[in-house]
Amino acid sequence: MQIRQKPVKRVRIEIIPMIDVIFFLLVFFMVTSLAMTRINSVKVVLPKTSGKPENIRQNIILTVRKDGTLLINKASVTLDSLGAQLVSQMQGNPQDVVVVNADEGAGYGLVVQAMDRAKQAGVHKFALAVEAGNGK
């Protein structure tokens, strides 16, 4: 009497489903990171320029709104407390660039005063935020 043995099946690791999962995770993280690019900014109408704006790391954003309110990284400040707030924000890296995000309708005098207070607080590098477009 002969006993038949079942043929031994070789175990395989299926790689196609793993590639699908990795691709899905890649797409998920790409879409999530694109949605987070403007998370630190406050909505203002920026002036338009004909040139292409540079990409600058935006650690500290000084926002001057049309109604005269000042914000540092979404936190409301007054003109008098602006210097102290910037000093506390720049403690980790004094070489940070302060991005001035001024509304198109904001008063020029207030923007200059805010930049002057920031300079007195020790800020040496400024960048003006603009919107790329067909300048006026």
Side-chain angles (χ1 to χ4, degrees):
M1 177 175 190
Q2 253 184 338
I3 300 176
R4 281 191 178 174
Q5 290 184 341
K6 292 183 182 179
V8 178
K9 286 188 174 182
R10 293 188 56 171
V11 178
R12 293 183 351 185
I13 297 175
E14 294 293 332
I15 197 163
I16 302 296
M18 187 168 56
I19 291 172
D20 290 343
V21 170
I22 290 172
F23 181 71
F24 175 74
L25 288 174
L26 176 69
V27 170
F28 174 76
F29 286 121
M30 285 174 41
V31 170
T32 303
S33 67
L34 289 174
M36 295 173 56
T37 55
R38 293 263 181 186
I39 202 153
N40 287 335
S41 64
V42 176
K43 183 72 176 160
V44 293
V45 179
L46 295 173
K48 294 184 181 10
T49 183
S50 59
K52 184 178 178 184
E54 296 179 30
N55 289 332
I56 295 175
R57 191 179 77 205
Q58 298 182 5
N59 287 343
I60 301 173
I61 300 172
L62 171 62
T63 304
V64 182
R65 286 184 149 175
K66 186 185 214 179
D67 61 359
T69 56
L70 298 172
L71 297 109
I72 297 178
N73 293 343
K74 290 189 176 182
S76 183
V77 295
T78 63
L79 195 58
D80 295 330
S81 66
L82 179 69
Q85 288 287 337
L86 282 173
V87 167
S88 68
Q89 290 281 332
M90 295 181 68
Q91 278 180 345
N93 191 0
Q95 296 299 320
D96 276 345
V97 175
V98 174
V99 179
V100 180
N101 196 14
D103 196 304
E104 190 173 30
Y108 180 70
L110 182 61
V111 174
V112 171
Q113 284 179 342
M115 289 176 70
D116 185 48
R117 296 286 171 99
K119 192 169 183 177
Q120 290 173 4
V123 176
H124 300 294
K125 296 179 182 178
F126 291 99
L128 298 174
V130 294
E131 186 176 328
N134 298 333
K136 288 186 175 181

